[in-house]
Amino acid sequence: MSAFRRYRSLPIAAAVIGISAALLHAAEVVSSQAIAKAVAAEGRSETDQKRDTTSKPTQVLEFFGLKPGMTVIDLFGGGGYYTELAALAVGDTGKVYYHTNHAYLPFVETELEMRFENDRLDGVVRIVSETDDMRLPEAEADLLLMVMCYHDLYVVDEGWPAIDREHFWRQIYAAIKPGGVLGVVDHIAATDTGSTAAQTLHRIDKNFAKTDIESVGFVFEAESDVLRNPEDDHTLIVFNPEIRRKTDRFVYRFRKPADT
């Protein structure tokens, strides 16, 4: 290529880069507006609004890239706090799946009845299933959320049998679209404790978590410090009133490779 032709191509390349940046910014604005509208929506419970102060859903969901039209799976979604926000944000062109299992259901059944009463969130698909067959949609999720449930892979208790880790992750990986996002939030345990604190404190070592999830094929993309709390010394069980909803938490974004 001559020097003239190379020079002539520079403005074109710059224009393409500029257009791409503008489109990315526009997508980020749409995402932020949709999430802000969801958080401010009328009809959200006082309990959820109070939780917003410590869960910081606006920042968390923006970090995960939630936007209108997406398909979202809220895995082990508890009382449906993030399910509702996701449903409001993705709008009529999107789709949300709420998942839980039979062991956890009794603890959140009343909250779920209130959340879905009078056909609220009638577009949400509810799945109650066990980890040996979660019945998740195949390669459908743009975003799969695991909020304060990842550590449960390493908990064994009465009514909570040991989870087949490899089989579990095969199902999660299969449910996410190529290029889709896995968003993980969990309570931080002391460094170098691996998965051991999951059993006693319902916490997990953040470095262990990153390596563990990468090992099943997800690519670590970024970490947000939005839920970090330096006053949490990682020694209390997460249900202790002194630290409940105020634990030091990691927020990780992983991506499923686009070529799988």
Side-chain angles (χ1 to χ4, degrees):
M1 179 185 294
S2 69
F4 174 73
R5 290 178 64 190
R6 286 198 300 271
Y7 175 78
R8 187 174 59 180
S9 68
L10 288 176
I12 297 174
V16 170
I17 292 171
I19 292 170
S20 297
L23 290 173
L24 178 60
H25 176 69
E28 290 173 347
V29 170
V30 169
S31 173
S32 296
Q33 290 176 340
I35 293 167
K37 186 177 179 180
V39 172
E42 289 187 18
R44 293 189 66 224
S45 70
E46 291 184 11
T47 300
D48 281 2
Q49 292 178 59
K50 184 177 180 180
R51 177 176 167 178
D52 291 347
T53 61
T54 53
S55 291
K56 302 181 181 179
T58 300
Q59 297 95 315
V60 170
L61 292 174
E62 285 182 359
F63 177 71
F64 290 149
L66 179 68
K67 59 180 179 289
M70 276 189 164
T71 295
V72 179
I73 298 174
D74 188 7
L75 195 77
F76 288 109
Y81 171 84
Y82 273 105
T83 297
E84 179 165 339
L85 288 170
L88 292 169
V90 301
D92 294 338
T93 59
K95 190 172 187 178
V96 175
Y97 293 85
Y98 165 88
H99 167 270
T100 193
N101 66 356
H102 289 90
Y104 201 36
L105 189 59
F107 298 99
V108 297
E109 201 159 18
T110 300
E111 185 177 353
L112 289 175
E113 287 176 2
M114 295 175 62
R115 195 173 298 282
F116 289 101
E117 68 181 354
N118 300 323
D119 294 326
R120 290 184 76 250
L121 312 179
D122 60 344
V124 172
V125 178
R126 285 181 273 179
I127 302 171
V128 180
S129 60
E130 307 309 313
T131 57
D132 59 346
D133 182 13
M134 287 189 282
R135 304 199 305 273
L136 302 177
E138 186 85 7
E140 193 173 325
D142 298 288
L143 170 62
L144 189 146
L145 297 171
M146 292 183 66
V147 180
M148 263 73 87
C149 65
Y150 161 71
H151 69 270
D152 286 322
L153 271 70
Y154 298 98
V155 173
V156 180
D157 206 343
E158 184 177 354
W160 193 273
I163 293 175
D164 182 331
R165 174 187 174 278
E166 286 73 22
H167 181 56
F168 174 88
W169 282 117
R170 280 195 295 270
Q171 294 177 82
I172 300 304
Y173 199 85
I176 300 174
K177 292 178 180 178
V181 169
L182 170 66
V184 183
V185 181
D186 219 328
H187 312 281
I188 297 176
T191 303
D192 296 328
T193 57
S195 62
T196 58
Q199 185 69 36
T200 54
L201 303 178
H202 290 267
R203 297 173 178 266
I204 199 146
D205 180 346
K206 67 191 293 284
N207 297 324
F208 169 88
K210 178 177 178 291
T211 301
D212 187 38
I213 296 171
E214 285 179 315
S215 74
V216 299
F218 290 102
V219 177
F220 178 76
E221 199 165 75
E223 174 181 5
S224 170
D225 292 336
V226 67
L227 298 180
R228 296 302 306 269
N229 178 9
E231 296 182 4
D232 177 9
D233 66 5
H234 308 146
T235 62
L236 296 176
I237 189 169
V238 300
F239 308 118
N240 188 304
E242 291 184 33
I243 201 67
R244 184 168 173 78
R245 300 249 185 250
K246 297 178 290 185
T247 55
D248 190 19
R249 285 156 284 173
F250 64 81
V251 182
Y252 283 164
R253 186 175 74 231
F254 298 86
R255 194 170 297 275
K256 180 177 178 177
D259 57 355
T260 57

